[in-house]
Amino acid sequence: MIIYYAIKYRRHPARQVGEVIEGSAKLEAVWIIVPFIIAMIMFVWGASVYFAMYRQPKEGVEIFGVAKQWMWKFQHPDGLREFNGLHVPIDRNIQLTMASEDVIHDFFVPAFRVKADIVPGRYTKIWFRATKPGQYHLFCAEYCGTQHSGMVGWVTVMQPAAYQAWLSGGEPGGAQATGGGAAQPAGSSGAAKGSLASAGEKLFTQLACNTCHPPEGAGIGPSLQGLFGAKVDLEDGKTVTADDAYLRESILNPAAKVVAGFPPVMPTFKGQLSEEQLFELVAYIKSLGSKGK
Ligand code: CUA
């Protein structure tokens, strides 16, 4: 074809000048305005879906997760832990707070259309609502080292009664929830060692946090009663909301946001606490009550 056209349409004096085409304002307006409207429709539609996906619902089941090379660990609020498996009730908003112990991982459940990077040093919030019982693949979708491809697990969606039975230590496999379907091993589940908050309370005493943050107040550090969700005035005049990310930062890097009226004397706990222990401490502080609720 190239050779044929090269010969057929070779340079020739008779057809040296191309035909002049005059512009058409009407045509130009059409091909600017029509694609503009289509693009705007897709943008507004896409943005509304995006906000619906990424805005955390008010009510839900809170579950905490830690990603590390190369496994998934999940903690239910009552203290039940599981590895490479996640059991959730059907038709409930599942609110995951995820942290990474080492490098960037990515929580990906294709069936639920959820995918989010788990970046070390911060909490990643993910939520989903499963509408069909069964077992669904969980993948790590960020290359995180040699065993990355093996960093997989199963999310088991259960009927409420089966979920309650599982939570109370009944059936770890969750086979009854799948209606006799594929009973793939869903990872091992650890025994409950008390609730997350009570584990945090123990840790709080062990680390002697209570000497500076006594429950009745009037300590070296501010009281933590009713702190969660409250507005905190800082030394530099700014105000922050005491959410889990703020609490985590204040434990690891106390100098970052010093509360107004208190000396910056708190030592850092960086390197001394695992992400799981941080979840426990945050859960304990949360259990001390929240203002305005
Ligand atoms: Cu974790 Cu890939």
Side-chain angles (χ1 to χ4, degrees), residues 153-188:
W154 291 95
V155 180
T156 306
V157 179
M158 309 172 92
Q159 297 291 352
Y163 178 68
Q164 283 310 320
W166 178 82
L167 272 186
S168 54
E171 295 290 310
Q176 85 272 49
T178 62
Q184 210 74 36
S188 55

Side-chain angles (χ1 to χ4, degrees), residues 105 140 142-144 148 151:
H105 301 274
C140 176
E142 181 68 49
Y143 184 68
C144 55
H148 156 71
M151 194 170 160

